[in-house]
Amino acid sequence: MNPAADVYREAFARLRSTLPGSQLPWLLRLREAALASFVEAGFPTLRHEDWKYTSVAAIENADFQFEPDEVAIQPELIEAWNLPDTHRLVFVNGRYQPAASQIGPQPAGVMLASLANVLTQAPDAVQAMLGRSPEIS
């Protein structure tokens, strides 16, 4: 049995309705299947061939907390990195910050947005890609 299973099951149950795309039945099924797979398998260990040189103990023992999407950002820190004729995507702690980002015109068929926004605005654009297993050679 996976010792972390209860912690992650409880967190998912608590946050399920607040997750981006929570209203999409196909995405809920994918998330539930992923959680079930994790509950069964747990974190990889050094005994797993693909992970024999990588310990994930620090991740396994971390107490992750859900944080709000937007955080306070000092504009002067971002402005120093502006480059002419470019898009600027700002991430803080791995989370996209649209208020601090600058996205200019995009070619037809290109959508430059966070996955959360795409799940709200155009979920059909990613449905076929989410949940696919990578082809490993």
Side-chain angles (χ1 to χ4, degrees):
M1 183 63 163
N2 175 359
D6 289 337
V7 171
Y8 287 98
R9 269 195 294 241
E10 289 169 13
F12 180 67
R14 187 177 66 254
L15 298 171
R16 173 189 348 233
S17 64
T18 65
L19 296 172
S22 62
Q23 75 288 356
L24 301 168
W26 61 266
L27 187 54
L28 178 59
R29 285 191 300 274
L30 285 175
R31 286 175 171 156
E32 288 173 342
L35 180 60
S37 177
F38 171 73
V39 165
E40 182 179 326
F43 284 99
T45 69
L46 299 177
R47 291 187 194 113
H48 293 93
E49 182 63 26
D50 290 341
W51 292 87
K52 67 182 178 183
Y53 301 114
T54 307
S55 172
V56 296
I59 296 169
E60 184 175 3
N61 296 324
D63 182 21
F64 293 103
Q65 300 296 318
F66 182 76
E67 297 293 332
D69 289 336
E70 293 289 327
V71 295
I73 298 172
Q74 298 174 351
E76 63 274 5
L77 295 177
I78 297 167
E79 296 301 325
W81 295 96
N82 274 352
L83 298 172
D85 302 320
T86 61
H87 300 288
R88 179 180 69 206
L89 300 168
V90 177
F91 294 83
V92 176
N93 294 331
R95 298 192 70 124
Y96 175 59
Q97 304 298 309
S101 299
Q102 284 183 333
I103 300 174
Q106 299 158 41
V110 173
M111 178 183 260
L112 190 55
S114 69
L115 180 57
N117 286 350
V118 174
L119 287 170
T120 300
Q121 299 167 6
D124 293 344
V126 294
Q127 182 177 0
M129 291 176 270
L130 293 177
R132 278 187 16 200
S133 295
E135 292 183 26
I136 300 172
S137 53

